[in-house]
Amino acid sequence: MLGSGSAGNSALVATNHCRILVDGGLSARQLVLRLEHCGVVPEQLDGVLLTHEHGDHICGLEVLCRKFDVPIYCNSLTREAVRYDNSFGRHRNWRVFGTGADFSICDITVQSFPVPHDAVDPLGFVFHAGSGSLGFITDLGYVTKLIVERLRLVQTLVIETNHDEKLLQNDTHRPWPVKQRIQSRHGHLSNTAAANVIEELLSGNINRVVLGHLSRDCNAPELALKTVRAALAKHGRLDMEIHCATQFEVTPRFRIGETSPGPFQPTFENAFFQNAL
Ligand SMILES: [Zn+2]
Ligand SMILES: [Zn+2]
């Protein structure tokens, strides 16, 4: 995770052959610096994959893609929303897929699925490469049966623990409608809601969770970790690896599985995408 929180989100998903940025919600300068920290230069990116169009997921995207011509993978409504609010006039490198589609970027297979959130067509993802699978859900008001089904066999799960319910209720800075929005079915997952999702996945292959998208005022890493640990303790699953990503620091690198050695044979997947201008 290059950075995660209400003020900006971006993550790097990589194999030996492929490097995908999931969201570009830090400044382009920070994205470049944090990629460098991971030993990656922007020219090596195979694409930026977007969950949705909110500013905390795309604010560095325009500059990054203008400087380095990185392909942007997203669904068509998200592309329209991103283009409407930003000057993407000259960017031609859009790879548009349908919500719910499975597709490949080099040797990473991406499964997309809709999530309930107040954006035009927000997505969650499961990534597969070799023996590894990674679930990725941030920015969603609640978890549907379809989402649990999609995440059933992931080994590592990135999930938002946006707020502590009590801190949000007692917060005096946020007007009531904003609190309502956050808590709504198209808002964000609380620590408790995220812990419930993790509990639902315990019968599968999950062995690591990475918490993210914490609200600056209405949450703290200790609170999120405590809530999730308490839920795991109920099931005797304190063996689970738990990390909390933060806004200002790159997390350690999480090794999820093995991909087969040797050269990767690219397929002609690009035919799948509408490269509309
Ligand atoms: Zn967000
Ligand atoms: Zn959002």
Side-chain angles (χ1 to χ4, degrees), residues 12 16-18 34 51 65 67 69 100 125 135 138 140 175 205 260 268 277:
L12 176 69
N16 290 333
H17 302 290
C18 182
R34 294 183 193 200
T51 58
C65 295
K67 278 191 174 160
D69 194 33
F125 300 110
T138 66
L140 71 171
N205 299 331
S260 36
F268 296 98
L277 300 180

Side-chain angles (χ1 to χ4, degrees), residues 20 34 37 54 60 100 112 134 142 190 209 219 241 244 256 275:
I20 306 171
R34 294 183 193 200
H37 178 93
H54 287 161
S112 67
L134 161 68
Y142 67 103
S190 68
V209 290
N219 209 353
E241 203 182 313
C244 189
I256 295 167
N275 282 308

Side-chain angles (χ1 to χ4, degrees), residues 63 81 83 88 91 104 121 123 133-134 141 143 157 169 183 204 228:
V63 172
R83 285 208 295 205
F88 275 87
H91 189 78
S104 298
D121 197 1
L123 299 175
S133 71
L134 161 68
V143 169
L157 176 67
Q169 275 154 24
Q183 290 175 301
V228 172

Side-chain angles (χ1 to χ4, degrees), residues 149-274:
E149 234 13 82
R150 286 301 184 106
L151 297 174
R152 181 76 58 200
L153 298 175
V154 300
Q155 296 146 336
T156 292
L157 176 67
V158 173
I159 185 169
E160 79 165 334
T161 45
N162 179 257
H163 55 276
D164 174 85
E165 285 165 17
K166 278 213 190 85
L167 283 184
L168 180 64
Q169 275 154 24
N170 298 338
D171 182 51
T172 49
H173 301 295
R174 285 180 172 73
W176 177 242
V178 175
K179 291 192 197 184
Q180 284 290 87
R181 192 221 129 211
I182 296 168
Q183 290 175 301
S184 79
R185 286 169 72 80
H186 290 84
H188 290 278
L189 293 183
S190 68
N191 294 341
T192 309
N196 292 341
V197 178
I198 296 162
E199 284 182 77
E200 283 205 63
L201 297 176
L202 290 177
S203 57
N205 299 331
I206 191 164
N207 55 26
R208 180 195 288 127
V209 290
V210 181
L211 311 177
H213 211 299
L214 273 69
S215 154
R216 195 178 32 189
D217 314 315
C218 296
N219 209 353
E222 311 77 64
L223 278 175
L225 289 165
K226 193 174 121 193
T227 308
V228 172
R229 283 209 188 96
L232 291 171
K234 281 195 297 186
H235 300 269
R237 284 298 304 273
L238 287 171
D239 57 306
M240 183 89 65
E241 203 182 313
I242 317 175
H243 299 265
C244 189
T246 64
Q247 196 74 82
F248 302 106
E249 271 177 341
V250 180
T251 60
R253 179 184 306 228
F254 305 118
R255 194 177 186 85
I256 295 167
E258 297 296 327
T259 51
S260 36
F264 168 67
Q265 294 293 318
T267 53
F268 296 98
E269 292 288 344
N270 285 350
F272 174 86
F273 296 99
Q274 317 160 20

Side-chain angles (χ1 to χ4, degrees), residues 52 54 56-57 117 139 188:
H52 66 301
H54 287 161
D56 58 319
H57 297 262
H117 186 59
D139 297 65
H188 290 278

